[in-house]
Amino acid sequence: MNSCPAQATIGCCKFNAGFFVTSQSPSKTKSAQFDAAAFADALKYAVDAERAGQRHGAVGKLLRETMLAVRSDGLGCSDRGDKVAARIARATDAIIKALYKLSPASGDEIALCAIGGYGRRELAPFSDVDILFLHRSPQNTAGDTGLRAVTDFMLYALWDSGLKIGHGVHTPKTAVDFAKQDMIARTAYLDARLLCGSKKQFDDFQAGYDRLRWGTKNQFVAAKVKEQDERHVAAGETRYLVEPDIKEGKGALRDVQTIRWLYKYVYGGSIGEHKAIDKIMDVSERRALQKAERFLWSVRVQLHDLRGRADERLTFDIQPEIAARLNYSDRKNISAAERLMKHYFLNTVEVGRLTRILCAKLEEERAKRRPRLPVLLPKELQSDEAAGKPNLRIRGGRLDFASVARARKTPRDFFRLFRAFSKKPKIDFHPDALAVIAEQTPKVTSDVRKDASIAALFEGILTKSSDPVRVLRVMTETGLLGKYIPAYGSIVGRIDYGLYRRFTLDEHVLRSIGVLARIRLGQLKNDHPLATQIIKNADAPLIYFLAMLLRESIWTLNDKSALQCERLVQRVAARLGLGAEDAALVGWGAANHLLMVRTAERRDLTEARAIEEFAKSVGSRARLDLMLVLSVCHLRIVGWHSWDEVIRRQLTELYEASAAWFEEGEAALHERLEVRAATVRSQTKAQLTGWSAAEKEDFLSQLTNNMFRSVDPDIIVRFAHLAQAAQTGRADAAVTVTPRDGDLEAIIYADDRPGLLADIAGVVAVNGLSVRSVQALTTADGKALDIFALQSPDGAPLEDLNQARRLHGVLLSVARKAPGKPPSLRRRLGDRRSIFSVAPAVRIEIDASQDATVVETEGLDRPGLLFELAAGLAEMGVSIVSAHIATYGERAVDAFYLWDRQKRKITDAATLQQIEKKLLSVLSSGSSL
């Protein structure tokens, strides 16, 4: 049998598909072009071989290898994603046309069309290829059979190639009828182009589609805008996710395509094809759209290539490699990956601005065909905190400048526009006004920043808006807010590179302000009664809003110290209208906004010493109030599961105990703790129904005041029943596992032994869970009471009841007897913590507790880390009194309260040095998991 024609004439490339011939341009640069004729010969050879029964799967194999070569060639030809996408589409055209030519199609029977992204000649390496078969209405069975033969021949071959094929089979009329009912099809058909076959069928379809388009412009625009809004809601209503979806996210490629779809559907051609575009976007705006589109496509094609599949999520593990491929490099204080992401966010902002422009212009076009909208400025917008009448008007139902020339000369007008919007957010901005602001932001100089009337307007925007986040976000996207407050401007688009935060720094700040605004309006009083009362009683709400706005200012400093941050924020707060004392309060709060959270998560709040040290660090009741509000707003936003019932209880206890210390002193704090112990003892006694007085007293006498301060009465009651059941049944251990606030609470009753806590932690890790907190208590008769709060590794609520049943069995086994060998630990599928690095650290704080030595460890989290740390301490004969686990994405901070063998506080310097060395060794190992 003869050899493959392609191989015989030009040889095979490394993918066994030698259909790229190298040509040299006048500029001496070499490029490969897809040789459609050579491929057609090879395809005919493969089809003939299959039909003759000589080779099985020859066509699919050829197509697979050719598509590999097409993708490789496309990515090798240019760094520009739009060029790569167009090149892949052209080669795909040649492949499909060659396949169609070998099908049993007759000339005027069938038209084969490219639709959707393929119709626009935009194919990423692993994009779907959408095609439409248009055919005449079959006159007889033979016609229907012929159509089936064509579609089967082509589709089976394309499916065998590994391509994801979307297809439709219609007559021109049924295709249009289907588009009337289905908006997805109508959108895909908007970009239809004829690949091969009957031009008549295609022209009939186009004519019918154009008639549909002319009569449904308003319907299409409304549907696409609604679809876009729903997509944004599904994406979290923000473009500032730290791991965005570059296709479906807000401001991403789908939004670029929506701009083009709306224009084409309304005006009948692509942007730039006729003069209508001059009424919609000027030359600079068209260039901005093109630039954003090119950037997004460049990222997308590299993402597809690196993943080897159609993946649109720009995750942390892939960002550095894409940055390198697109020639980003590290700069001072910002990595290449962060620069890539900052440019991503800037481009998505630009897409949002251009979408707003197009929608406003379309709205104006529709307004010309109906009664005029009211043009009078509403009464409440005719005055504000500044003197004189605002330079504002209503144009096309939107808020605009009455005099653009005056606005260009008077930056105060920018703030008056936003202040007006904060009063009437249902009246949207006119894009022309926002364009003026974006253009004129360089005029926001130090004189503007020092203008008292502008400061008053800004205070109104912050504290008197029903939705300040919406106002501040648009101010951010025009560049105005960043110019007015450079400390904020420096964090726009920046990422805290890790798994803890959901959003960029600026988006995190704005969303936290949104929580604060809702608290102030009383909308969250059931969730946050303390914070609601604090804000309600505040003489100057601006203090809280500015502290929230400026709390990430440390990122702007070369010297990232709390003192430098405090000084910077204090200066900014004073400039924005606060007196010296209030500005100092804002500065301190912004610089220390994590102090309360860290204390609540890492300290034993039943110890007076922990409360006292925290209160002394805070220094005043006003600071304490500010700290609670900042903590609540921060935790509600920062991570996917950073706020839950556990942290709510911790913050409440820390706040109320510290307030008692401030109001009545140290004695009141100690009295509060003793009252809690007595109350819990009394409640426990009352709940032990069915027990005799002697049995109650005998059990309660084995428990210490520290246990009563540390544990809720219902937990002690469950422990009591465990102990009683174990003793009655002559068992040496008992366990309960109970769902609690989305976590699992495990209570273990057992004979105390060295390493018990480590053994339990190991079993927990093997079963795919993480430890949230541990209380390891010992009764007077030597029994261990270990209380574990367990959660899923990602913090999501645990809802599988079977998991609790399985866990109970293994916990009971390890409580009875130490395992014969250490647990086998491995990372779970999808665990991305290992892509980051966290410098290991051990901090020993002898004075943090009255009765124990506190040791904090910090390092890269991994499965079983708590087990390894606890096992290391057990080897040294050290007892863990309690462990407080805080996890921030990939970073784990564990605080251990330790005793020596005699149950005393560890103060020996040599022993502490050995503990530090041991724990550092554990933290530094295990990177290969």
Side-chain angles (χ1 to χ4, degrees):
M1 183 176 290
N2 293 333
S3 62
C4 167
Q7 294 174 347
T9 56
I10 60 175
C12 287
C13 71
K14 64 180 179 179
F15 294 105
N16 299 319
F19 311 117
F20 293 90
V21 292
T22 301
S23 62
Q24 187 161 306
S25 67
S27 62
K28 307 295 185 182
T29 59
K30 292 183 177 181
S31 64
Q33 299 294 328
F34 186 75
D35 190 330
F39 172 77
D41 289 343
L43 182 63
K44 184 178 187 307
Y45 173 86
V47 169
D48 290 343
E50 276 201 18
R51 287 172 174 169
Q54 301 302 306
R55 294 183 64 184
H56 176 71
V59 175
K61 182 174 184 293
L62 175 65
L63 292 178
R64 279 196 304 276
E65 293 174 346
T66 302
M67 285 309 302
L68 283 172
V70 165
R71 292 170 186 138
S72 178
D73 166 71
L75 288 157
C77 77
S78 175
D79 290 334
R80 271 182 45 185
D82 58 327
K83 288 187 174 182
V84 174
R87 195 175 181 94
I88 292 175
R90 284 197 300 272
T92 304
D93 283 356
I95 291 168
I96 290 180
K97 288 177 182 179
L99 195 61
Y100 181 83
K101 189 175 180 181
L102 295 172
S103 74
S106 60
D108 63 346
E109 294 283 341
I110 299 173
L112 182 57
C113 314
I115 58 175
Y118 180 33
R120 296 189 299 275
R121 295 185 174 86
E122 295 175 349
L123 286 182
F126 292 93
S127 288
D128 294 1
V129 176
D130 295 326
I131 55 178
L132 174 64
F133 294 91
L134 294 171
H135 63 94
R136 290 195 311 175
S137 298
Q139 302 299 313
N140 50 47
T141 305
D144 186 61
T145 303
L147 172 65
R148 174 61 64 87
V150 174
T151 57
D152 285 355
F153 171 78
M154 295 200 63
L155 292 174
Y156 281 115
L158 291 170
W159 286 332
D160 286 346
S161 74
L163 288 172
K164 290 184 68 178
I165 301 295
H167 75 283
V169 182
H170 285 284
T171 66
K173 182 181 184 305
T174 62
V176 174
D177 290 342
F178 182 55
K180 289 179 183 178
Q181 306 300 323
D182 190 287
M183 192 58 66
I184 295 175
R186 195 187 309 184
T187 306
Y189 294 171
L190 182 61
D191 293 308
R193 62 185 174 88
L194 179 64
L195 288 171
C196 48
S198 172
K199 186 174 184 302
K200 180 182 184 306
Q201 301 300 326
F202 182 73
D203 288 345
D204 288 349
F205 161 73
Q206 284 285 68
Y209 184 85
D210 274 346
R211 287 192 295 272
L212 170 66
R213 183 181 65 79
W214 275 105
T216 58
K217 292 180 180 180
N218 289 347
Q219 180 198 42
F220 184 85
V221 170
K224 286 289 126 183
V225 171
K226 180 183 178 183
E227 175 189 296
Q228 185 179 60
D229 291 341
E230 291 172 348
R231 190 173 67 250
H232 291 171
V233 170
E237 295 189 90
T238 180
R239 58 179 56 88
Y240 299 106
L241 291 167
V242 294
E243 294 184 308
D245 186 318
I246 63 168
K247 183 179 178 182
E248 302 291 347
K250 189 173 184 178
L253 274 169
R254 188 67 79 201
D255 283 0
V256 173
Q257 292 159 358
T258 298
I259 291 174
R260 296 192 179 279
W261 287 331
L262 293 177
Y263 181 88
K264 189 171 185 178
Y265 202 90
V266 171
Y267 296 104
S270 299
I271 290 177
E273 283 189 6
H274 49 69
K275 293 184 178 180
I277 188 59
D278 295 330
K279 301 177 182 178
I280 307 296
M281 295 180 183
D282 61 27
V283 173
S284 67
E285 289 163 343
R286 296 201 293 273
R287 287 174 180 165
L289 178 63
Q290 186 180 57
K291 179 182 176 183
E293 189 172 24
R294 285 177 178 175
F295 172 85
L296 293 168
W297 268 106
S298 296
V299 173
R300 189 185 185 206
V301 297
Q302 298 298 338
L303 180 57
H304 275 216
D305 183 50
L306 285 166
R307 293 292 195 202
R309 63 181 187 276
D311 189 344
E312 314 297 351
R313 181 73 64 181
L314 191 52
T315 53
F316 280 124
D317 54 327
I318 214 78
Q319 290 171 14
E321 179 61 28
I322 291 180
R325 287 189 172 202
L326 297 181
N327 299 316
Y328 284 86
S329 57
D330 294 343
R331 297 279 177 85
K332 187 177 181 180
N333 294 329
I334 186 168
S335 68
E338 287 179 282
R339 290 183 61 221
L340 167 74
M341 296 310 297
K342 190 175 182 72
H343 287 168
Y344 171 85
F345 297 124
L346 291 174
N347 277 289
T348 57
V349 167
E350 193 68 3
V351 172
R353 183 178 75 87
L354 296 171
T355 301
R356 188 188 295 271
I357 289 172
L358 178 61
C359 289
K361 296 294 185 181
L362 294 176
E363 176 66 29
E364 288 180 356
E365 288 292 317
R366 291 199 296 271
K368 292 176 182 178
R369 296 188 291 271
R370 62 178 185 246
R372 292 175 64 91
L373 295 171
V375 295
L376 294 176
L377 196 66
K379 185 176 181 180
E380 55 265 52
L381 304 188
Q382 295 178 15
S383 63
D384 52 31
E385 289 81 0
K389 184 178 179 180
N391 175 26
L392 301 173
R393 64 168 175 165
I394 303 296
R395 177 160 72 100
R398 295 171 183 256
L399 201 58
D400 195 7
F401 293 118
S403 169
V404 172
R406 176 183 157 186
R408 291 179 189 276
K409 298 176 183 178
T410 315
R412 185 184 299 110
D413 286 352
F414 306 162
F415 294 86
R416 300 187 85 168
L417 178 82
F418 285 109
R419 180 68 182 102
F421 179 76
S422 73
K423 295 178 181 179
K424 299 283 282 187
K426 290 185 178 180
I427 305 178
D428 202 358
F429 299 103
H430 197 285
D432 289 352
L434 297 182
V436 170
I437 294 174
E439 172 193 309
Q440 296 297 314
T441 49
K443 292 186 178 179
V444 179
T445 60
S446 59
D447 289 340
V448 175
R449 297 186 190 107
K450 294 174 183 177
D451 188 317
S453 63
I454 291 178
L457 289 166
F458 188 63
E459 178 179 356
I461 291 169
L462 276 178
T463 64
K464 298 176 183 178
S465 300
S466 60
D467 186 6
V469 177
R470 191 176 173 194
V471 192
L472 294 172
R473 187 174 288 124
V474 180
M475 291 182 73
T476 298
E477 294 177 354
T478 60
L480 179 63
L481 186 54
K483 288 293 288 184
Y484 185 56
I485 305 177
Y488 172 82
S490 296
I491 68 169
V492 172
R494 288 205 63 174
I495 292 175
D496 181 5
Y497 212 69
L499 297 174
Y500 185 47
R501 293 184 191 253
R502 290 184 287 169
F503 307 109
T504 58
L505 296 178
D506 54 313
E507 181 69 6
H508 178 197
V509 165
L510 295 184
R511 287 184 172 239
S512 298
I513 289 175
V515 175
L516 176 59
R518 293 181 65 199
I519 290 174
R520 186 169 183 234
L521 293 171
Q523 296 173 356
L524 298 176
K525 61 182 178 182
N526 293 332
D527 295 332
H528 307 295
L530 290 175
T532 301
Q533 193 62 38
I534 289 170
I535 296 294
K536 182 179 179 180
N537 296 336
D539 294 329
L542 183 62
I543 292 172
Y544 294 86
F545 282 91
L546 287 181
M548 194 69 66
L549 180 66
L550 299 169
R551 64 191 172 82
E552 300 291 355
S553 296
I554 196 168
W555 285 82
T556 69
L557 301 170
N558 292 326
D559 176 11
K560 290 181 170 51
S561 67
L563 179 60
Q564 291 301 319
C565 179
E566 183 175 348
R567 289 172 176 171
L568 169 64
V569 174
Q570 186 172 344
R571 291 195 300 271
V572 176
R575 174 169 63 77
L576 293 174
L578 290 179
E581 185 177 341
D582 289 344
L585 176 59
V586 170
W588 183 89
N592 298 278
H593 68 276
L594 294 177
L595 176 61
M596 189 173 204
V597 175
R598 289 170 176 166
T599 302
E601 291 178 331
R602 306 179 194 178
R603 290 295 177 265
D604 183 354
L605 302 182
T606 66
E607 272 201 353
R609 176 71 64 85
I611 306 297
E612 290 170 357
E613 291 300 315
F614 169 73
K616 288 175 183 177
S617 297
V618 172
S620 72
R621 179 60 187 271
R623 286 181 173 182
L624 178 66
D625 289 348
L626 177 60
M627 188 64 60
L628 177 69
V629 174
L630 291 176
S631 299
V632 168
C633 297
H634 166 74
L635 289 171
R636 283 290 298 257
I637 296 299
V638 61
W640 292 108
H641 306 287
S642 53
W643 179 264
D644 59 17
E645 182 61 20
V646 174
I647 192 64
R648 188 199 67 77
R649 289 199 305 264
Q650 290 171 335
L651 289 178
T652 300
E653 176 61 28
L654 182 55
Y655 175 82
E656 291 180 342
S658 300
W661 188 88
F662 279 117
E663 291 171 3
E664 302 179 51
E666 183 178 335
L669 174 60
H670 284 273
E671 181 182 354
R672 172 187 170 87
L673 295 175
E674 291 307 313
V675 168
R676 171 175 169 78
T679 301
V680 170
R681 181 187 178 91
S682 175
Q683 291 174 347
T684 302
K685 189 174 183 178
Q687 292 180 39
L688 288 173
T689 56
W691 290 43
S692 68
E695 287 174 328
K696 291 180 182 180
E697 204 53 49
D698 181 55
F699 171 74
L700 295 174
S701 66
Q702 302 298 321
L703 310 184
T704 65
N705 268 0
N706 183 51
M707 295 181 74
F708 288 120
R709 289 197 302 267
S710 305
V711 184
D712 291 339
D714 58 324
I715 295 178
I716 298 179
V717 169
R718 291 204 291 275
F719 171 57
H721 290 305
L722 279 180
Q724 186 184 60
Q727 292 166 3
T728 303
R730 300 182 182 276
D732 52 2
V735 172
T736 64
V737 179
T738 309
R740 186 180 176 94
D741 301 324
D743 294 343
L744 289 179
E745 177 190 81
I747 302 176
I748 296 97
Y749 166 84
D751 291 328
D752 200 10
R753 68 171 188 262
L756 174 61
L757 189 147
D759 293 339
I760 296 170
V763 165
V764 168
V766 168
N767 281 269
L769 297 174
S770 296
V771 177
R772 173 72 180 270
S773 65
V774 180
Q775 289 174 294
L777 305 170
T778 307
T779 64
D781 60 350
K783 294 294 184 180
L785 169 59
D786 290 346
I787 305 164
F788 281 72
L790 308 175
Q791 62 181 9
S792 64
D794 59 4
L798 292 170
E799 299 173 346
D800 184 1
L801 296 180
N802 290 326
Q803 190 170 33
R805 191 178 303 112
R806 292 191 299 269
L807 186 63
H808 178 275
V810 293
L811 286 176
L812 182 59
S813 176
V814 80
R816 288 171 173 167
K817 183 180 178 181
K821 59 182 181 180
S824 175
L825 302 171
R826 64 180 184 275
R827 291 194 182 277
R828 63 185 175 87
L829 186 65
D831 189 341
R832 297 182 293 142
R833 291 173 291 188
S834 60
I835 68 176
F836 300 93
S837 61
V838 178
V842 175
R843 296 179 286 273
I844 298 176
E845 301 184 35
I846 297 176
D847 298 327
S849 169
Q850 175 109 21
D851 304 316
T853 299
V854 178
V855 176
E856 271 193 13
T857 65
E858 180 173 356
L860 182 65
D861 197 15
R862 62 177 185 262
L865 177 60
L866 177 62
F867 157 74
E868 295 180 48
L869 293 169
L873 291 169
E875 288 177 15
M876 301 183 66
V878 174
S879 297
I880 299 174
V881 182
S882 66
H884 306 267
I885 289 84
T887 305
Y888 310 99
E890 72 286 352
R891 184 165 60 97
V893 182
D894 299 340
F896 299 98
Y897 281 64
L898 304 179
W899 281 344
D900 62 15
R901 287 185 174 87
Q902 285 73 42
K903 297 186 178 181
R904 297 176 305 190
K905 184 175 184 176
I906 303 170
T907 57
D908 178 65
T911 302
L912 293 174
Q913 189 174 17
Q914 291 173 1
I915 291 173
E916 180 180 12
K917 182 178 179 181
K918 180 67 175 178
L919 295 178
L920 280 173
S921 175
V922 171
L923 291 168
S924 301
S925 66
S927 59
S928 61
L929 277 176

